[in-house]
Amino acid sequence: MLKWLSLALVLALAGLQYHLWFGDGGLLELHMITTRADTQEAKVSVLRERNAQLTAEVVDLKTGLDAIEERARNDLGMVRNDEQFLWVPASVVRTLHELPEAPIENSSPEQMP
């Protein structure tokens, strides 16, 4: 009788442990939820930082003319009336190895017509 009672208690304990570790609301599910929450918190942190930058830019655009002038210069290529715009194209520097090879012609007087 004691043997069956101890076996029943061990089985009950095993069932409760299974429910604790793998059941609904168990430690495995808690770990998965915690991991997901940490991932979401990292994403939210990045988005909050971006929102703070955008808020600062909006406030700067509403209050100051410097940001509007900078946007007009960079995005639209605008120049003030008292300024002169000079465009200098980028020069390309080629090395001797990159130059196309031209055939060398013999310019001796015998071959000239």
Side-chain angles (χ1 to χ4, degrees), residues 5-19:
L5 182 62
S6 61
L7 182 63
L9 288 175
V10 167
L11 288 176
L13 182 64
L16 289 173
Q17 285 294 316
Y18 178 80
H19 183 67

Side-chain angles (χ1 to χ4, degrees), residues 37-98:
D38 291 342
T39 305
Q40 292 297 323
E41 185 62 36
K43 289 179 183 178
V44 166
S45 173
V46 170
L47 292 175
R48 281 187 181 141
E49 184 177 317
R50 189 178 123 232
N51 283 347
Q53 290 174 350
L54 289 174
T55 302
E57 187 175 345
V58 165
V59 168
D60 193 29
L61 285 172
K62 285 183 176 179
T63 58
L65 295 177
D66 293 335
I68 296 172
E69 182 179 346
E70 181 181 347
R71 278 265 168 136
R73 288 174 180 273
N74 292 336
D75 295 345
L76 303 174
M78 297 184 83
V79 180
R80 283 192 267 175
N81 290 334
D82 59 341
E83 295 179 336
Q84 292 183 355
F85 176 72
L86 301 174
W87 179 63
V88 179
S91 61
V92 178
V93 178
R94 294 185 182 176
T95 63
L96 292 175
H97 300 290
E98 296 174 347

Side-chain angles (χ1 to χ4, degrees), residues 26-44:
L27 294 177
L28 183 63
E29 187 177 353
L30 175 67
H31 176 67
M32 290 179 1
I33 290 173
T34 305
T35 305
R36 258 191 325 197
D38 291 342
T39 305
Q40 292 297 323
E41 185 62 36
K43 289 179 183 178
V44 166

